[in-house]
Structure formats: C-alpha cells, structure tokens
Amino acid sequence: MTTNPRSPRLLVLCTITLAVAGVALLGIPHGQEPPVPKASPTAHATTDPSLAASTPTTDQPTVGTSVSTPAASTPAVLESALPPHGEGPAGDATIQKALEAAWPPDLSSRDARELLASGRDLLRADATGIGRARWPAVFPASWQGLAPAFATARFRIQAAIARRDGSPDKAVVHLVWAGTDRGGTFTDGRITDWHFTRTTTKKGASTWTPKPHT
C-alpha cells in the first residue's frame, strides 16, 4: 500500500519548531535547572504544631514581650543611653530621661521634691562653696574656709532623681553635673549621690536629713 507524500508546508513548520526548541535549551547554563515557580506566601501559614514547638528561638525579644533587665546591668544601659561628652545643655534632657527610665519612681511627689531640692543645694554647696553654712552637720566649721573646687560660673546640674535607698525611711539623690575645676578643666557627666534618712521633728513632722560624705 502506498501513502501520499507529506505536505512540504508541514515539514517546514516541524523544522522551525525543533530549531526554536534547540536554541532555548542551549540558552540554559550548564548544570542549571529551569526556574521553579515560587511558593505562595500562604503556603506555610499552617504548620505542624510539633515542628513549631521544636524550632529553636533566637535571643531577640518579640513585640509585646516583657523583658526584665537585671539591676546589675542598669549602669551599662544608662551609659549607652547618655549623649556624648561635650553635648552641652542640649543633652541634659536626654540624661534626665535616661535616669528616670533606669530607676522608676518609688517616692511620693512631696518627698521627691524635698529630696531633689536638698540634693541640688548640697551638691552646689559642696562643689562651689555656696550655702555650706546652711548644712553645718554636713560641712563642719573646718570646711567653711576651704576654697571651692569648682567655679560657680560654669557649674551646672544636668539631671537629678530621688529614689528610695533600701527602705521607706532612706533615700538617695542621684545627680549628674558639669563644672570647671580650679585648673580650668571643664568636665561634664560627673556623678554624685547624696544619701538621706527620714527623721521626725519635735512637733511630729517628718523631714529628710542628709548624711555627711565619708
């Protein structure tokens, strides 16, 4: 039995198709597979709970997780939050916020105001000599004639907080300040603590009494 010869047009179309396919295959680099379609973003929305529980977690806290910082690391945290030295008065607000964040308030507003006022005055008296006579128990008569270690003109309290010091009847005023010493050297970020105890007057009123520096 004989068959009719195939159409020349059909043979040409087959030849062109094979040539195009060969060029496409030659265009793929050696050893590289054709690209695989990406999975849908929702493909991993449902996972096996057992697998999720066994997946190791990182040390990074997640949003909404409360992370407590050990008290021993507070100074390091505070130091990293402070502005660079020489920032000037513009950086004082940052220091104040860092202090308040590191040590949350634990005193009544009345006690805090009294302690802060006394702590600032004590520091100024100690550094510049102004007002030492107001605190005879802290600055004895032998101290009254001592020359101040810092000049009044460039003395500045940068930040201050008052907090409890181990019990409701003890407190500490933590101050950060700047000043120029007698040698003319200006330094900021100085730290001074003044400790107080709560005492009761003869009339029954309570007040905060500073402890002399030892």
Side-chain angles (χ1 to χ4, degrees), residues 102-125:
W103 292 281
D106 55 8
L107 290 166
S108 67
S109 57
R110 176 182 176 276
D111 287 337
R113 285 195 301 269
E114 179 182 347
L115 287 163
L116 285 172
S118 297
R120 290 173 179 272
D121 290 344
L122 282 164
L123 176 58
R124 185 174 291 102

Side-chain angles (χ1 to χ4, degrees), residues 185-202:
T185 301
F186 176 82
T187 308
D188 59 358
R190 296 176 179 270
I191 297 175
T192 296
D193 290 336
W194 285 97
H195 295 267
F196 293 78
T197 56
R198 191 196 303 270
T199 58
T200 304
T201 64
K202 294 180 180 180

Side-chain angles (χ1 to χ4, degrees), residues 157-173:
I157 296 177
Q158 299 177 268
I161 58 171
R163 299 292 186 263
R164 287 185 180 180
D165 189 21
S167 76
D169 293 328
K170 294 181 180 180
V172 59
V173 177

